[in-house]
Amino acid sequence: VLRHWDKVRTIRVALLGLGTVGGGFVRLVEREHARIRDRIGLEIEIAAILVRDREKDRGDVDRSLITTTAVDVIDAGCDVVVELVGGVHCAGAYVRRAINNGSHVVTANKALLAATGRELFDAASANGVQIGFEASVCGGVPVVRALRRGLAGDSLESITGILNGTSNYVLSRMEDGLPFADAVKLAQEHGFAEAHPTLDLSGEDAAQKLEILTSLGFDSEVVSRSVHGIEWIDVDDVARARRRGNVFRQVAEARRVAGGVALTVAARELPLAHPLASVRDENNGVVFRGNAVGEVMLTGRGAGSLPTAAAVLSDVIEIGSA
Amino acid sequence: VLRHWDKVRTIRVALLGLGTVGGGFVRLVEREHARIRDRIGLEIEIAAILVRDREKDRGDVDRSLITTTAVDVIDAGCDVVVELVGGVHCAGAYVRRAINNGSHVVTANKALLAATGRELFDAASANGVQIGFEASVCGGVPVVRALRRGLAGDSLESITGILNGTSNYVLSRMEDGLPFADAVKLAQEHGFAEAHPTLDLSGEDAAQKLEILTSLGFDSEVVSRSVHGIEWIDVDDVARARRRGNVFRQVAEARRVAGGVALTVAARELPLAHPLASVRDENNGVVFRGNAVGEVMLTGRGAGSLPTAAAVLSDVIEIGSA
């Protein structure tokens, strides 16, 4: 009702990676493309897909689109390149090439943005293309848009969040009485944790996401960075906190200090009435404190195939509608 | 860091109304304009202001901008007309004139959008201008952007929210043991409720906001609309619910049903673990349930001078940056 379009436009998408999120993206486009065409006037066409293993079973995916040669996909002349291979080195080379080709880029790759975001955004600007990265922080929860757009009129005081679903799932299971190692194993069995969940449990994953939000929300430089994991917490610590009416959460926080912004990631004991205490299991939550708006909180599923794919698709739609 | 601009652009704003939100908008622009210019490359210039009473004290506001003649402001050739006079008749005429002049419009006026939104959006589309209305639902909480942009890639199943801060404040005070009439009086004393808070307590205010969100989130027509107030709730009902571990909330819900979407606004008894049970006092909260993303919740201050002004300003910035 509130959108208008005259003529259906087509946006051609080159997809790099057909793993958890990439596979979810293909399924979601398949399911939603008719609705998006009818409602927004945008036809989304996946024109080429890069995979690592050509022989692997890909279900319903059109095999004629699949290749193992990255340049064939990146140079296919698509409007937007969706980078979902992860990692920093290959992904960075792919994204740079796409930008130099004049393609827009959408990525879920927080490690890449944390490592080389400034350079990539400069290159995108010089080439007149956009980089969409809603999926890089908190999966399906639109925190990047909330910060860039919704809070654009306000000065930010702090960002406080639960940005790592694996750690939060582990701490939630420890509240149920499970020892740390068993909780980690359960997270792995449920697919919330990698085989080596070091980045998650050490706080580094949350710190990378916090850096992305900080660069969006604050004008000043990061002057300190303190990152601690949750491995030191014992199930008895959690039980003792519980008796005091508190819960443990891995809290990532960016806060204005003299000379800039201080980043901390640490396990903290929070009272049950704290907004982030209500974020449970594999969920994520972020509280933005603005000078004018006060506290605005967003919560939801911060990872997973379809939630993350929905964030990727929202960026593709926004680029296609511009 | 993540934004780029070559040359500062100026966006000229005509402001209609200098009441609670209009006054907040002027203060916020005064406070934030240098930051916005330096960061986004957008200079916001308030060029003309419509007031009802020329003689009233307006504090620091530049009196040379103030007039009581609406057409002088609307026809001042501004890029965007910010409508904050409220009501339906005058405001509608102003907005239509602004659109016909080729100005973009930003409004916080939910009643206007609920009554004539379709016509206004058609006119805006025909004239190639935008209507920004983030401030019309949930004040400073960016629910409109979350729905239009963040969840654009997903099919929505339901919208469930606490959309009226006055009712929520009254119910929160009744949890403290205050009878209904005293809780309403306290809300009025704190400025959360109008002198005649009928629209708030009857559920109509929440229903108007729900209609705006529904038109954004669903493709299908509204096939039923059931709106009930909170006046029937007694402080003893609240105490009894409390003993069962529940709380009362005025819940607005849009849900897919056979043939379309059903809207309901009603006081409901929610378990304490329900996400909306944690929304207290004058706050608002909305849970969007999407097919792919699951539940995404946004909470924060749904009204007030500066939070609402920040939402208005975010729309002005987005229009100016396009």
Side-chain angles (χ1 to χ4, degrees), chain B residues 5-286:
Chain B
W5 50 274
D6 297 320
K7 182 165 140 327
V8 173
R9 286 178 295 177
T10 298
I11 184 166
R12 294 181 74 236
V13 177
L15 175 60
L16 307 177
L18 197 56
T20 307
V21 180
F25 180 74
V26 171
R27 271 189 296 150
L28 192 62
V29 169
E30 176 64 29
R31 197 165 82 189
E32 299 290 339
H33 79 100
R35 183 187 63 83
I36 294 165
R37 181 191 57 220
D38 296 346
R39 187 158 170 85
I40 311 179
L42 188 68
E43 182 76 68
I44 296 168
E45 182 198 330
I46 299 177
I49 305 175
L50 175 71
V51 298
R52 207 176 309 197
D53 176 3
R54 223 195 176 306
E55 304 311 315
K56 196 169 157 186
D57 179 32
R58 304 292 180 179
D60 293 340
V61 177
D62 180 354
R63 295 196 67 85
S64 72
L65 303 179
I66 290 179
T67 170
T68 54
T69 313
V71 290
D72 288 352
V73 179
I74 301 167
D75 295 357
C78 289
D79 303 294
V80 55
V81 172
V82 172
E83 183 279 301
L84 300 173
V85 296
V88 171
H89 287 100
C90 279
Y94 297 164
V95 166
R96 275 179 213 100
R97 187 175 182 108
I99 290 171
N100 288 333
N101 283 349
S103 297
H104 302 289
V105 169
V106 173
T107 180
N109 193 330
K110 59 193 171 293
L112 180 67
L113 295 176
T116 62
R118 201 175 287 220
E119 172 221 327
L120 296 177
F121 285 98
D122 283 342
S125 173
N127 284 274
V129 298
Q130 294 177 58
I131 301 179
F133 54 101
E134 182 65 72
S136 67
V137 186
C138 292
V141 190
V143 295
V144 169
R145 274 184 186 79
L147 194 49
R148 283 183 106 170
R149 303 279 173 70
L151 305 182
D154 199 6
S155 288
L156 202 65
E157 293 174 2
S158 64
I159 301 170
T160 314
I162 293 173
L163 302 180
N164 182 269
T166 305
S167 296
N168 207 56
Y169 182 84
V170 168
L171 291 172
S172 296
R173 290 297 73 73
M174 290 171 78
E175 279 172 44
D176 303 339
L178 230 55
F180 180 78
D182 295 354
V184 171
K185 199 181 291 174
L186 199 63
Q188 288 167 327
E189 284 169 17
H190 282 79
F192 301 135
E194 318 275 329
H196 299 285
T198 320
L199 274 179
D200 296 314
L201 303 176
S202 68
E204 266 307 320
D205 175 84
Q208 285 175 350
K209 295 168 181 167
L210 183 64
E211 279 164 5
I212 293 172
L213 295 180
T214 299
S215 71
L216 288 172
F218 294 96
D219 307 298
S220 29
E221 294 295 311
V222 172
V223 292
S224 75
R225 186 182 193 277
S226 155
V227 179
H228 292 95
I230 62 165
E231 313 89 336
W232 60 272
I233 299 174
D234 196 87
V235 67
D236 295 333
D237 297 326
V238 174
R240 268 190 297 273
R242 194 78 182 172
R243 284 195 291 275
R244 285 189 289 264
N246 296 341
V247 291
F248 273 102
R249 293 286 182 264
Q250 186 197 61
V251 178
E253 186 164 61
R255 178 170 288 284
R256 281 189 199 282
V257 293
V261 180
L263 308 187
T264 53
V265 178
R268 275 164 53 180
E269 204 178 314
L270 303 178
L272 273 175
H274 191 286
L276 293 178
S278 66
V279 178
R280 295 193 185 89
D281 303 326
E282 72 276 22
N283 286 301
N284 281 191
V286 184

Side-chain angles (χ1 to χ4, degrees), chain A residues 3 32 39 148 216 219, chain B residues 3 39 148 155 216 219:
Chain A
R3 285 179 190 269
E32 299 290 339
R39 187 159 171 84
R148 281 184 107 170
L216 288 172
D219 307 296
Chain B
R3 286 180 189 268
R39 187 158 170 85
R148 283 183 106 170
S155 288
L216 288 172
D219 307 298

Side-chain angles (χ1 to χ4, degrees), chain A residues 40-266:
Chain A
I40 311 181
L42 188 69
E43 182 77 70
I44 296 168
E45 183 198 329
I46 299 177
I49 304 174
L50 175 71
V51 298
R52 207 177 308 199
D53 175 5
R54 223 196 175 306
E55 304 310 315
K56 196 169 157 186
D57 179 31
R58 305 292 180 178
D60 292 339
V61 178
D62 180 355
R63 296 196 67 85
S64 73
L65 304 180
I66 290 178
T67 170
T68 54
T69 313
V71 290
D72 289 352
V73 178
I74 301 167
D75 295 356
C78 287
D79 304 293
V80 55
V81 172
V82 172
E83 183 278 302
L84 300 173
V85 297
V88 170
H89 288 99
C90 279
Y94 297 164
V95 166
R96 275 178 213 101
R97 187 176 181 106
I99 290 171
N100 288 333
N101 284 349
S103 297
H104 301 289
V105 169
V106 174
T107 179
N109 193 330
K110 61 194 168 293
L112 179 66
L113 295 177
T116 62
R118 201 175 286 222
E119 171 221 327
L120 296 176
F121 284 96
D122 283 341
S125 173
N127 284 273
V129 298
Q130 293 177 59
I131 301 179
F133 53 101
E134 183 64 73
S136 67
V137 186
C138 292
V141 190
V143 295
V144 169
R145 272 185 188 80
L147 194 50
R148 281 184 107 170
R149 303 278 174 71
L151 305 182
D154 200 6
S155 288
L156 202 65
E157 293 175 2
S158 65
I159 301 170
T160 314
I162 293 174
L163 302 179
N164 182 269
T166 305
S167 296
N168 207 56
Y169 182 85
V170 167
L171 290 172
S172 297
R173 291 297 73 74
M174 289 171 78
E175 278 172 43
D176 303 338
L178 230 56
F180 180 78
D182 294 356
V184 172
K185 199 181 290 173
L186 199 63
Q188 288 166 327
E189 284 169 17
H190 282 79
F192 301 135
E194 318 276 329
H196 300 285
T198 319
L199 274 181
D200 296 314
L201 303 176
S202 69
E204 267 306 321
D205 176 84
Q208 286 175 350
K209 294 168 181 167
L210 183 64
E211 280 165 4
I212 293 172
L213 295 180
T214 299
S215 71
L216 288 172
F218 294 96
D219 307 296
S220 29
E221 294 295 311
V222 172
V223 292
S224 76
R225 186 182 193 276
S226 154
V227 179
H228 292 95
I230 61 165
E231 313 89 336
W232 59 273
I233 299 173
D234 197 87
V235 67
D236 295 333
D237 297 325
V238 174
R240 268 191 296 273
R242 194 77 181 171
R243 283 195 293 274
R244 286 190 288 265
N246 296 340
V247 291
F248 274 102
R249 293 286 181 265
Q250 186 197 62
V251 178
E253 185 163 62
R255 179 171 287 284
R256 282 189 198 282
V257 293
V261 179
L263 308 187
T264 53
V265 178

